[in-house]
Amino acid sequence: MPEATGAVQAAPPGDSTGSGRPARGKRALGPVALVVAGGLSVQFGAAVAVLLMPRTGALGVVSLRLALAAIVLLAVCRPALRGHSRADWGTVIAFGAVMAAMNCLFYQAADRIPLGAAVTLEVIGPLALSVIVSRRLVNLLWAGLALGGVLLLSGGGFDRLDPLGTAFALGAGAMWAAYIVFSARTGRRFPQADGLALAMAVGALLALPLGIVESGSKLLVPSTLGLALAVAVMSSVLPYTLELLALRRLPAPTFAVLMSLEPAIAATAGFLVLDQALAATDALAIALVIVASMGAVRTQIGRGTPKSGPNSGPESGPKPAPAQTPAPARGEAGEETL
């Protein structure tokens, strides 16, 4: 992946009047629009997946999404299968296993609780990783703010949301944190998006038997395959492509801050597609988690993280930007945020 130039570049030599500002603003706006479009694609893809669940079940959706996305990515990337060490294959297999677990848990959650709540709870995993890795006292503030949002979302007891759905969402968050770590490691070992394509294939192989057991021949219904292909493109292929293009021109920390908005995008998708209205307290809870995520990201930046280039992002926070690998879509919010 070419090195990013950053969202704002210096004015041309001899330009002492600052006349280049409008052009710089347009250059910054372009990649931001790509990231937002990727986020919209991920979360509206998740909403379509929820509509598909009555036909195939949550595990059926996961298996079809991963399998179809793997086919597309393998066809586009054509990764080499030779020339890799055992450690390389161990890393990509672990990455694929975490990817499958993250998606299975998330879709099980989305089948039981509103989409916005599921993504909000899932973001706690990357946020916790960001707080732990930074080791700064101020991050306790962000952790406390996020905890307040989660407690507000629970309404004093997760039985309001469905305890099992809540547990699945928190489990998906833990897998998202692991996903960030293995995504970065895979990106360092494989060129371009080769590692991602191979890991997607591993995840599909692990998830497919579960989907077959749950849904059997229902997975082969043409209309179901069509919707599943739409989910795969919207939740994996399209966001990865948009984020890869954005990261060539956008500082990774800025990308991470934008990814912190995913719970709000998910809540909007749930409302528009699934008619999942939010109470005022739910909206406030989501806002608290978003602010906590942004605060944790900005704290990492203030710690001295380089502010340009896709390889400069730390390996923690919601959605990674690892070297040579498009930032993943965090399963669904995520699929990716630091």
Side-chain angles (χ1 to χ4, degrees):
M1 181 189 300
E3 290 291 329
T5 58
V8 179
Q9 299 179 359
D15 185 2
S16 59
T17 63
S19 59
R21 288 179 183 174
R24 289 200 301 270
K26 291 180 180 179
R27 282 197 296 269
L29 184 60
V32 168
L34 291 175
V35 174
V36 173
L40 289 169
S41 181
V42 166
Q43 300 308 333
F44 277 88
V48 174
V50 173
L51 292 176
L52 186 57
M53 284 178 190
R55 300 188 183 193
T56 65
L59 295 178
V61 172
V62 172
S63 61
L64 285 176
R65 175 200 160 176
L66 292 180
L68 293 172
I71 291 172
V72 173
L73 288 173
L74 288 172
V76 172
C77 299
R78 298 181 182 180
L81 298 180
R82 296 181 179 180
H84 303 299
S85 67
R86 287 186 179 181
D88 292 341
W89 282 112
T91 299
V92 84
I93 289 172
F95 185 24
V98 168
M99 185 186 300
M102 178 182 65
N103 279 275
C104 287
L105 289 168
F106 177 80
Y107 281 120
Q108 291 281 7
D111 194 31
R112 292 169 170 82
I113 62 177
L115 188 60
V119 174
T120 301
L121 291 170
E122 188 188 20
V123 164
I124 297 301
L127 177 59
L129 180 61
S130 178
V131 170
I132 293 170
V133 170
S134 70
R135 298 178 183 176
R136 296 191 65 179
L137 188 60
V138 67
N139 273 304
L140 293 178
L141 170 63
W142 306 126
L145 195 63
L147 180 61
V150 171
L151 292 176
L152 190 62
L153 192 64
S154 72
F158 283 112
D159 55 324
R160 182 179 74 88
L161 282 177
D162 179 272
L164 188 56
T166 299
F168 279 132
L170 293 173
M175 289 298 101
W176 190 4
Y179 178 88
I180 289 169
V181 174
F182 284 106
S183 175
R185 291 180 182 177
T186 302
R188 288 192 293 267
R189 290 178 176 272
F190 291 84
Q192 301 303 322
D194 287 10
L196 174 64
L198 292 171
M200 188 74 74
V202 171
L205 290 174
L206 293 174
L208 196 56
L210 300 177
I212 292 173
V213 169
E214 182 176 66
S215 303
S217 61
K218 294 178 181 178
L219 299 178
L220 300 178
V221 176
S223 59
T224 298
L225 286 172
L227 283 174
L229 180 60
V231 172
V233 171
M234 293 174 68
S235 297
S236 296
V237 179
L238 182 58
Y240 293 153
T241 302
L242 293 174
E243 290 160 9
L244 176 60
L245 294 173
L247 279 167
R248 288 174 174 169
R249 293 179 287 164
L250 190 70
T254 303
F255 172 85
V257 171
L258 291 170
M259 289 298 95
S260 300
L261 299 174
E262 296 244 357
I265 298 175
T268 302
F271 174 72
L272 294 177
V273 179
L274 305 173
D275 197 25
Q276 295 176 344
L278 286 177
T281 53
D282 294 333
L284 178 59
I286 291 173
L288 288 176
V289 174
I290 290 172
V291 171
S293 297
M294 288 183 171
V297 169
R298 298 307 302 179
T299 299
Q300 288 284 71
I301 296 171
R303 202 178 164 209
T305 303
K307 294 189 179 181
S308 67
N311 302 338
S312 62
E315 293 180 15
S316 61
K319 243 180 186 180
Q324 305 294 336
T325 302
R330 177 221 25 111
E332 236 29 67
E335 286 136 21
E336 15 197 275
T337 346
L338 246 200

